[in-house]
Amino acid sequence: QEHYNMLNQKINYKWDFVIMQAKEQYKAGKERKKADRYALDCQERAYWLVNRTPPGMLDILEYGLDRVTDPNENKVNQVRQ
């Protein structure tokens, strides 16, 4: 119980910090001029174009219902045999 309470306090503190940061970023984004917002959007798009996953490699976003490969496939085959 003591460890749980300690962990809960740490997580709540960090979560509050994340919420506070998000609010500040949202407020700062609203105060920016339209041209600045457009420039930042273009910079972010350029970053993701340059840093995208190479073809043939799995991306974290590809995991889900329509995933390309099943990470549990080997375990299922071993259980069936």
Side-chain angles (χ1 to χ4, degrees), residues 23-51:
K23 286 180 181 177
E24 290 296 322
Q25 287 179 356
Y26 179 76
K27 206 183 306 182
K30 289 285 237 180
E31 294 172 358
R32 282 192 190 104
K33 295 177 185 175
K34 187 174 181 178
D36 291 341
R37 283 185 281 180
Y38 182 74
L40 286 172
D41 184 50
C42 289
Q43 287 175 349
E44 186 174 357
R45 287 182 187 198
Y47 172 84
W48 288 113
L49 283 173
V50 170
N51 294 306

Side-chain angles (χ1 to χ4, degrees), residues 53-59 62 68-69:
T53 308
M57 303 262 323
L58 285 180
D59 186 8
E62 292 177 358
V68 177
T69 60

